[in-house]
Amino acid sequence: MSDDMLGRYAVEDFEKHKIIIKNVVKHRGCDCPFSSVLINAKNGSRTIVHSNKNLPELTIEDFRNLDLEQYKWIHFEGRNVRQVVLMLKYVTEWNSAHSKIVTSVELEKPKDELKELLPLADVVFVGKDFASFQGCKNKYDAVARNIALVKPK
């Protein structure tokens, strides 16, 4: 979280809605990322305009500071892939000695490196852009293309 005006508004809104944010990493002097979703009223397509000027992505060092006993499910975005790989491996190691935390990851952007995340999470959400990037024509192609790469049960 940033400490700018928009970041402070987000914190107040989370608190108002009883969303627990005590483990959020706070960054001084950073701008809060902002997204606007534009929806086409005629066909329902959406365009997201996103701005993140300078808020850093979560690192494995940040993640290691969490008390994983507090979590049952942790979801990751496929953004900072090198760090997300380390975080998913960290949870896997933790799971071998503790109660199980389910992990999930969203693969959305058309980037080849996202394939590294497929075998590491328990649940994988494959977005349309990533599937198209892989050459998939529909959701069935996406499942067929990736099923052998996901984490075995």
Side-chain angles (χ1 to χ4, degrees):
M1 295 291 304
S2 64
D3 64 348
D4 67 346
M5 183 180 68
L6 190 54
R8 290 190 305 271
Y9 172 80
V11 168
E12 288 174 22
D13 194 56
F14 289 146
E15 289 171 348
K16 177 178 146 188
H17 289 92
K18 310 275 190 262
I19 297 170
I20 300 167
I21 60 168
K22 67 181 180 181
N23 293 323
V24 169
V25 178
K26 296 174 181 82
H27 293 279
R28 292 183 167 265
C30 291
D31 297 309
C32 185
F34 183 79
S35 297
S36 293
V37 181
L38 308 171
I39 300 174
N40 183 322
K42 291 184 180 180
N43 66 14
S45 70
R46 67 182 171 92
T47 300
I48 300 174
V49 179
H50 178 71
S51 172
N52 181 6
K53 293 180 183 176
N54 60 1
L55 188 70
E57 293 286 346
L58 191 68
T59 67
I60 185 64
E61 290 78 21
D62 297 324
F63 193 76
R64 284 189 176 130
N65 289 325
L66 295 175
D67 175 8
L68 294 183
E69 287 286 344
Q70 299 179 40
Y71 299 92
K72 301 272 186 228
W73 188 306
I74 301 175
H75 177 74
F76 297 90
E77 298 282 324
R79 288 199 295 253
N80 189 3
V81 175
R82 297 285 166 246
Q83 293 295 301
V84 173
V85 164
L86 295 173
M87 290 179 233
L88 283 163
K89 287 180 177 179
Y90 181 74
V91 174
T92 299
E93 291 170 23
W94 190 89
N95 279 343
S96 65
H98 300 85
S99 60
K100 174 103 168 108
I101 297 173
V102 175
T103 58
S104 60
V105 66
E106 178 184 11
L107 311 180
E108 183 179 9
K109 302 284 184 200
K111 298 192 300 190
D112 202 45
E113 67 182 335
L114 292 178
K115 290 190 293 190
E116 296 177 45
L117 301 172
L118 282 162
L120 300 175
D122 299 305
V123 178
V124 177
F125 298 98
V126 176
K128 179 176 68 172
D129 290 342
F130 180 70
S132 294
F133 172 73
Q134 292 183 297
C136 302
K137 304 285 187 236
N138 55 49
K139 60 186 173 186
Y140 305 106
D141 286 351
V143 170
R145 174 86 175 219
N146 293 296
I147 194 77
L149 303 173
V150 299
K151 187 180 201 177
K153 284 187 173 185

